[in-house]
Amino acid sequence: MLEATSHMGQLLTVLIMALALGMDAFSLGIGVGMKGVRLQDVLRISAVVALFHLVMPLLGMFTGHFMSEVFGHVAAYVAGGLLILLGCHMIYNSIYGSSVPLLDYRSSVGVILYALGVSMDSFSVGVSLGMFRSDLLLTVAAFGGAGGVMSVLGLLLGRHVSRNLGEYGEAIGGAILFAFGMMFIF
């Protein structure tokens, strides 16, 4: 019973983090969608975002496993600190502007740069989760799924609403990551 509760807690934590990280794809997707994007482009951009949200945390988790072995007990503090810094960075970007430059999101280079930009935070969180030896398959599947779905929602919603909602979405995602970082440390 205790193991099932622990598994459920890990699942819930990973899903909340995946949604928080997906907020970046969602909020930037709103901005891109406001510029006008075809449904075919929505699917292509979102598929690449989902792929990057799979690969980046995977790379981060392998890095985190290595750091965990090297740093030992200090790893939990480092992981928590990374999440706090990442959360603060997302909140800062929501207030003072996005760190992803304007480019043509329909070009192959534009799609890759966009996906890389919205998935860099997934690498950092992957490093943190790798230090805690979280479930690899669950984490990358949740991050990839949430990144892709949130990207689709943001791009579609961007066709219909104002840019301010996207900024709030990134701030909410940053606040959630900040809170998880605090929980890891304390």
Side-chain angles (χ1 to χ4, degrees), residues 51-72:
L51 177 66
F52 272 74
H53 269 78
L54 283 168
V55 171
M56 295 303 280
L58 186 62
L59 292 173
M61 288 179 81
F62 287 136
T63 304
H65 283 307
F66 172 74
M67 290 177 67
S68 173
E69 291 176 13
V70 171
F71 294 118

Side-chain angles (χ1 to χ4, degrees), residues 15-27:
L15 289 176
I16 291 172
M17 286 180 141
L19 289 174
L21 291 172
M23 286 294 197
D24 205 18
F26 177 76
S27 62

Side-chain angles (χ1 to χ4, degrees), residues 3 8 11 36 67 73 91 98 101 107 133 152 160 176 183:
E3 187 177 324
M8 194 58 113
L11 174 66
M67 290 177 67
H73 295 297
I91 293 168
S98 175
S107 71
R133 304 236 183 248
V152 167
H160 302 291
I176 290 170
M183 284 178 22

Side-chain angles (χ1 to χ4, degrees), residues 17 20-21 83-84 86-87 90 125 173-182:
M17 286 180 141
L21 291 172
L83 290 176
I84 289 170
L86 181 59
M90 287 175 70
V125 173
I176 290 170
L177 291 180
F178 180 85
F180 275 112
M182 295 298 283

Side-chain angles (χ1 to χ4, degrees), residues 13 17 76-77 79-81 83 128-129 132 179-186:
T13 300
M17 286 180 141
Y77 297 111
L83 290 176
S128 299
L129 292 174
F132 290 108
F180 275 112
M182 295 298 283
M183 284 178 22
F184 285 159
I185 291 176
F186 302 106

